[in-house]
Amino acid sequence: FNFARAIGVSIAMIAIRQKRPIKIVGFNSCIESELDLSEAVLSEAPKAVLAFAASLSCFGGTDFEEVMQCSRRFNDDHDGRADLVIITDGESSLEESREGDPRIFTVLIGEASASGHALTDRSESFAHIADTGSPRDVSIGLITFSKALDEGVQ
């Protein structure tokens, strides 16, 4: 759980520094909480991210479909240039991709198998952090959405 928080906060801070719209969603078997920083005052955003991350809790289960629907709405609201970063310790099915879906980047944390994972083929990039200690340390998914980088900017 702490790994997911740390990675999510780090990605959010990068997006904030780059002044990119961002939405963070805590999810398990459904979306539990959301933080939309699209219109946030830049100086207040880091505190909001840290407070949001600290408030996240886990209840078990993983469902990527509701998160994907949320990312599609965010993508539509931001001119179809959103990226979806999924940080999870779980496995779930995911419907076929649609034209205009945001790009997906995945960080799988813990003992779940990366082989055949629903997000392996759908992701632009897929990373697996396997040795995290106790399984109770990683039990929530955290996703962030941010406006895609302009061409040529890395």
Side-chain angles (χ1 to χ4, degrees):
F1 181 57
N2 290 327
F3 280 105
R5 281 185 188 177
I7 292 168
V9 166
S10 297
I11 291 169
M13 294 304 182
I14 290 168
I16 290 166
R17 277 197 315 272
Q18 294 175 347
K19 299 178 182 171
R20 295 163 53 175
I22 184 168
K23 183 172 192 174
I24 305 170
V25 181
F27 71 98
N28 294 292
S29 57
C30 63
I31 291 177
E32 300 290 337
S33 53
E34 300 181 39
L35 175 65
D36 190 337
L37 296 171
S38 299
E39 306 295 325
V41 175
L42 190 60
S43 63
E44 296 172 12
K47 288 179 188 176
V49 169
L50 291 172
F52 181 80
S55 73
L56 292 173
S57 59
C58 56
F59 300 101
T62 302
D63 185 358
F64 299 136
E65 286 301 333
E66 198 173 335
V67 172
M68 195 66 200
Q69 294 301 321
C70 183
S71 73
R72 287 179 178 131
R73 288 188 300 274
F74 192 82
N75 195 37
D76 290 345
D77 292 345
H78 292 87
D79 303 322
R81 300 218 24 198
D83 294 330
L84 167 58
V85 180
I86 297 179
I87 304 163
T88 185
D89 70 336
E91 173 64 80
S92 175
S93 62
L94 190 59
E95 69 182 39
E96 294 297 315
S97 62
R98 299 179 189 170
E99 187 174 327
D101 274 354
R103 296 183 306 172
I104 300 173
F105 299 86
T106 302
V107 179
L108 177 63
I109 301 174
E111 301 306 315
S113 174
S115 176
H117 195 279
L119 295 170
T120 304
D121 293 334
R122 292 284 300 277
S123 298
E124 296 277 327
S125 178
F126 187 97
H128 185 201
I129 302 170
D131 186 16
T132 60
S134 168
R136 289 177 289 198
D137 290 343
V138 288
S139 53
I140 192 167
L142 177 71
I143 64 167
T144 64
F145 303 91
S146 55
K147 189 173 182 182
L149 292 172
D150 293 332
E151 288 185 37
V153 177
Q154 301 263 344

